[in-house]
Amino acid sequence: MTEGEQRFGEHVVVRRHGTGGRVAELVLDRPKAMNAVSSELARSIGAACAELGADRGVRVTVLTSTHARAFCVGADLKERNSLSDAELVRQRPLARSAYTGVLELPMPTIAAVHGYALGGGYELALACDLIVADATAVVGLPEVSVGVIPGGGGTQLLPRRVGAARAAELVFTARRVAAAEAAGLGLVDQLVAEGEDRDEALALAGRIAANSPVGLRAAKRALRLGHGLDLRAGLEVEDAAWRSVAFSGDRAEGVAAFNEKRAPAWPGE
């Protein structure tokens, strides 16, 4: 069930699904350019993420595309070609705001990928916690083939997924990876039949959203902040996250519901 729809600029739509709109769908809607990330699109993604991040009612966000053959083909190179060096410098924070906006969403996030997810497009997916891809998906970071490097988090997020050497091979060769190999390498997390990426991602989001919103956000915080730390430091991050939920209303409700053999009614606090 879709609760409502809100547009950010011309090319981004946010839809709310489920009771109370607890699953948000962040839709890339620039079909004429295969969702190439222009300054305007970057600004709209950042604005949508700022609003979603402040909405305590959203338990999961799913990133989708309206284009039939592409999730997102990356940076708008036509626009980039028209920018002077000074304009490119000024545009950089705006571009980064899109990627960091998705990356810093406090609730679990899922990318629903079909067709091309290249360069900045794949980096938007990498910024999510989970990636569901259909059989048409083609992913990759081809930036060095046009004289730049992945600049939306790719050099940092990809090694965290697949290890340093595999990430280096993929970045240095600039090669595109089809769905089956991408799933085998861990570039995507779940492979589904053609055309089913959005439905499966929303279904997965619904299953996740049934859990405690306080617990979900704390678990994501522990996973993100603890990654890369030594074990002792990571356990301290986990302990801090545990303390943030141990005396919450969600924890009290969760224990009560378990003992009373009923579904919890999470207060979200």
Side-chain angles (χ1 to χ4, degrees):
M1 178 176 65
T2 301
E3 293 289 326
E5 184 171 295
Q6 182 179 5
R7 186 166 286 276
F8 292 81
E10 186 179 354
H11 302 307
V12 171
V13 178
V14 171
R15 299 176 182 141
R16 310 297 177 113
H17 300 271
T19 303
R22 62 190 187 184
V23 173
E25 182 182 3
L26 177 57
V27 187
L28 305 179
D29 185 31
R30 193 186 178 206
K32 291 182 179 179
M34 298 180 111
N35 292 326
V37 183
S38 62
S39 297
E40 195 279 331
L41 179 56
R43 184 182 294 108
S44 296
I45 293 171
C49 287
E51 183 153 324
L52 287 170
D55 188 341
R56 298 290 300 182
V58 177
R59 300 184 188 180
V60 187
T61 295
V62 180
L63 184 58
T64 68
S65 162
T66 60
H67 196 284
R69 295 187 294 109
F71 173 73
C72 172
V73 294
D76 187 337
L77 296 184
K78 290 183 179 179
E79 179 189 64
R80 293 282 179 88
N81 192 50
S82 71
L83 299 178
S84 67
D85 288 352
E87 288 170 333
L88 184 60
V89 169
R90 289 194 294 271
Q91 194 254 8
R92 175 63 175 162
L94 187 60
R96 288 192 68 187
S97 71
Y99 304 104
T100 57
V102 175
L103 184 65
E104 293 177 359
L105 283 170
M107 74 290 291
T109 52
I110 305 168
V113 173
H114 59 266
Y116 297 113
L118 301 173
Y122 184 47
E123 287 173 306
L124 286 172
L126 286 172
C128 295
D129 300 299
L130 297 167
I131 302 174
V132 175
D134 84 353
T136 71
V138 178
V139 305
L141 297 176
E143 283 88 347
V144 297
S145 69
V146 293
V148 291
I149 70 166
T155 65
Q156 305 306 303
L157 295 171
L158 189 58
R160 285 165 166 78
R161 268 190 164 267
V162 299
R166 177 65 68 190
E169 182 263 323
L170 292 165
V171 170
F172 295 162
T173 63
R175 72 184 180 94
R176 301 178 179 191
V177 183
E181 183 184 4
L185 294 177
L187 300 174
V188 303
D189 301 302
Q190 185 174 346
L191 188 60
V192 298
E194 181 176 346
E196 295 184 3
D197 54 296
R198 177 179 178 269
D199 288 347
E200 181 52 41
L202 287 171
L204 175 59
R207 295 193 293 273
I208 293 172
N211 296 308
S212 158
V214 170
L216 288 171
R217 290 181 180 226
K220 175 166 179 170
R221 192 163 62 249
L223 286 164
R224 286 285 179 92
L225 294 179
H227 189 95
L229 300 178
D230 66 68
L231 180 58
R232 186 179 297 275
L235 290 173
E236 291 303 314
V237 168
E238 181 183 82
D239 186 64
W242 178 86
R243 290 175 185 277
S244 74
V245 301
F247 309 104
S248 67
D250 273 16
R251 180 261 179 188
E253 170 60 13
V255 172
F258 177 84
N259 285 305
E260 295 166 15
K261 296 182 172 58
R262 60 174 174 80
W266 303 115
E269 58 185 21

